Amino acid sequence: MKRFKSLRFIITFLILISAIVLARLIRGNYYMISADKVYEQSLDTDEIIPFNQYEISPEDFYLVDLSNEKLFQQWHVENAVNIPYMDLLNRISFKNKYQKWLIYSNNISETVKAKMILNQKGIKAFYLDFAEINNNVAYKNVNSIGLDEKFKYKFRPDSTIRPE
Amino acid sequence: MSFRVKFSIMIIVLGGMLVFLPSIQNKINEPKLSELFEVSTISNIYFSVDQIAKSMVREDTSILLIDLRSPEEYKAFNLPGSINIPYNDLLNRDWQGYLNQKSIKNVLYSNGDFTSTSAWIIVTRLGYENNFILKGGLNEWYNTVMESKFEGRKITAKENALFETRTKAKILFTEMNSLPDSLKVKFIAAKRLKEQQLDGGCN
């Protein structure tokens, strides 16, 4: 009987600690990866998934449209879930935390911030890129993340300028 | 079971649980994840190209432009007064003096928003303050400032001032980037001196 009491004490203690750890993991305010690791990941071009590749196996991803509700209602990719950027941290749940997030929006800066925040929360996240199908009218509101850093103009020096 | 045994078991279990706790704890200057997210949602982290054009024309020394492109791209052309910290070399300790300071505003830019936003997240996570993003980057600079045209019939005083600032910034950009590399730094210094003399200031 005494032995049973001790065992019960240990089991209760274990359950309590597990509950605390789980609560902290789900709602915790901790970085799951270091700043160096986040930086390394940001240099990885494999983190960009072209739309054509996504279409092959859409079930592999948790597709998220980060635009606001109004833009989402105007147009979105089929089966995408709307999580406006402002609401991102509140919408991470125990269920979607362990899925592979595939994100896009009409705002490149917000998409980048969302991916890096998710990565630091320990979530695997990728960018959905529309570069291949950008001529399609339906995608006019969504900029291509893969082409964002391409300089679209040409600098023409003025040969008439002479140093004073 | 004696208290000693119970206590030992508790300590071992606690130790074991620590393995499952997130391994990366906040460092001294780092903001919490929720704080980083909160700061990232406010629009104050962005500078518009018109704000930069204005500060460029006024020779505002409270703003430092940081070009995150490669050295080759930077050499081809850059925003007057900017320094080059390639994104690929961002965490090099040599740049800490520029990125981690409290006296001036750093405006990070590249061709678009992708690289500058990535860099902003990294430096803000590290607890560095006073870093901002040039919204739209050099593509937006070209679109708004370099290709600035007035197409309306009547121009208001406000529009006129904006158009004038864009034109001055455009001339400055073209002049500076058309010079040989060796003269670019001298050009900026000479221009500042000239402005100071015209304003009646002294150095």
Side-chain angles (χ1 to χ4, degrees):
Chain A
M1 193 64 188
K2 205 176 176 186
R3 194 176 245 185
F4 177 71
K5 263 189 179 174
S6 295
L7 199 67
R8 205 172 60 178
F9 168 78
I10 291 167
I11 289 170
T12 314
F13 176 74
L14 270 174
I15 291 170
L16 191 73
I17 295 292
S18 307
I20 293 170
V21 170
L22 274 175
R24 289 187 82 169
L25 281 176
I26 296 166
R27 286 278 165 210
N29 202 9
Y30 293 100
Y31 297 108
M32 300 297 282
I33 54 173
S34 67
D36 290 9
K37 186 78 183 162
V38 184
Y39 172 68
E40 269 171 40
Q41 281 183 355
S42 74
L43 294 168
D44 188 356
T45 48
D46 290 344
E47 306 259 304
I48 299 175
I49 310 273
F51 189 77
N52 302 345
Q53 199 182 315
Y54 157 74
E55 278 187 313
I56 299 167
S57 54
E59 63 283 351
D60 289 353
F61 301 97
Y62 178 60
L63 185 64
V64 175
D65 186 322
L66 298 157
S67 320
N68 61 41
E69 213 172 298
K70 197 180 164 191
L71 278 173
F72 180 78
Q73 276 169 4
Q74 277 175 16
W75 176 85
H76 61 264
V77 178
E78 210 182 321
N79 296 325
V81 177
N82 184 214
I83 301 181
Y85 178 69
M86 297 284 180
D87 213 15
L88 184 70
L89 277 193
N90 294 328
R91 298 281 295 275
I92 297 170
S93 66
F94 191 72
K95 195 181 165 194
N96 63 26
K97 189 178 164 70
Y98 297 101
Q99 289 179 292
K100 274 199 274 185
W101 289 49
L102 188 59
I103 57 173
Y104 71 90
S105 81
N106 64 323
N107 183 329
I108 299 281
S109 190
E110 276 189 358
T111 316
V112 174
K113 285 187 287 186
K115 185 190 171 292
M116 294 178 86
I117 292 283
L118 289 168
N119 286 158
Q120 291 175 87
K121 190 91 181 148
I123 295 171
K124 279 185 186 169
F126 301 86
Y127 299 113
L128 178 60
D129 187 38
F130 297 93
E132 301 291 319
I133 48 166
N134 243 8
N135 293 330
N136 191 324
V137 180
Y139 300 89
K140 65 181 178 183
N141 284 335
V142 186
N143 298 319
S144 163
I145 201 136
L147 298 177
D148 182 62
E149 280 302 330
K150 196 176 171 194
F151 187 59
K152 296 170 190 158
Y153 302 87
K154 197 172 187 323
F155 171 64
R156 290 184 182 83
D158 184 347
S159 54
T160 61
I161 288 169
R162 295 277 177 273
E164 285 173 29
Chain B
M1 198 183 284
S2 71
F3 176 75
R4 268 190 187 178
V5 178
K6 271 187 195 173
F7 187 74
S8 307
I9 291 172
M10 274 165 58
I11 294 295
I12 292 166
V13 169
L14 272 174
M17 284 301 177
L18 280 177
V19 175
F20 295 101
L21 273 173
S23 54
I24 311 299
Q25 300 291 328
N26 292 3
K27 287 176 187 165
I28 297 166
N29 295 324
E30 278 185 356
K32 287 179 182 169
L33 184 59
S34 58
E35 288 168 351
L36 174 65
F37 175 72
E38 217 164 283
V39 178
S40 80
T41 59
I42 53 173
S43 55
N44 283 358
I45 61 166
Y46 296 105
F47 265 76
S48 71
V49 288
D50 277 322
Q51 282 174 296
I52 292 303
K54 203 172 175 182
S55 80
M56 201 180 279
V57 171
R58 288 183 177 180
E59 302 283 345
D60 183 356
T61 49
S62 68
I63 288 176
L64 176 66
L65 292 162
I66 297 182
D67 192 320
L68 297 159
R69 300 172 303 151
S70 68
E72 295 74 33
E73 286 174 294
Y74 176 78
K75 213 174 162 187
F77 62 92
N78 57 68
L79 294 179
S82 64
I83 61 159
N84 184 213
I85 300 182
Y87 184 69
N88 286 346
D89 198 31
L90 186 74
L91 295 186
N92 190 327
R93 281 173 184 271
D94 293 349
W95 307 124
Q96 267 201 10
Y98 289 108
L99 296 168
N100 188 16
Q101 47 73 41
K102 290 179 179 175
S103 48
I104 53 170
K105 290 175 180 170
N106 289 330
V107 181
L108 309 167
Y109 78 87
S110 59
N111 286 332
D113 282 329
F114 189 95
T115 308
S116 50
T117 308
S118 304
W120 182 87
I121 285 277
I122 300 288
V123 295
T124 310
R125 153 79 191 265
L126 289 168
Y128 300 171
E129 292 171 16
N130 279 345
N131 289 291
F132 301 84
I133 300 166
L134 175 60
K135 190 83 183 92
L138 284 172
N139 278 323
E140 187 56 35
W141 172 264
Y142 249 80
N143 182 39
T144 307
V145 178
M146 301 302 285
E147 308 220 324
S148 173
K149 277 177 202 154
F150 181 73
E151 281 163 349
R153 282 186 176 180
K154 259 187 169 181
I155 190 162
T156 63
K158 203 177 170 187
E159 283 171 339
N160 188 46
L162 183 68
F163 190 68
E164 203 180 303
T165 305
R166 285 178 184 173
T167 308
K168 279 182 181 173
K170 179 181 168 178
I171 293 167
L172 187 63
F173 178 89
T174 312
E175 276 185 350
M176 203 276 288
N177 285 297
S178 301
L179 291 171
D181 290 340
S182 55
L183 293 173
K184 281 178 184 173
V185 178
K186 285 180 189 167
F187 173 80
I188 295 287
K191 194 159 187 325
R192 278 186 184 151
L193 183 70
K194 200 173 166 186
E195 295 283 330
Q196 274 175 357
Q197 283 167 349
L198 285 173
D199 290 345
C202 53
N203 51 354

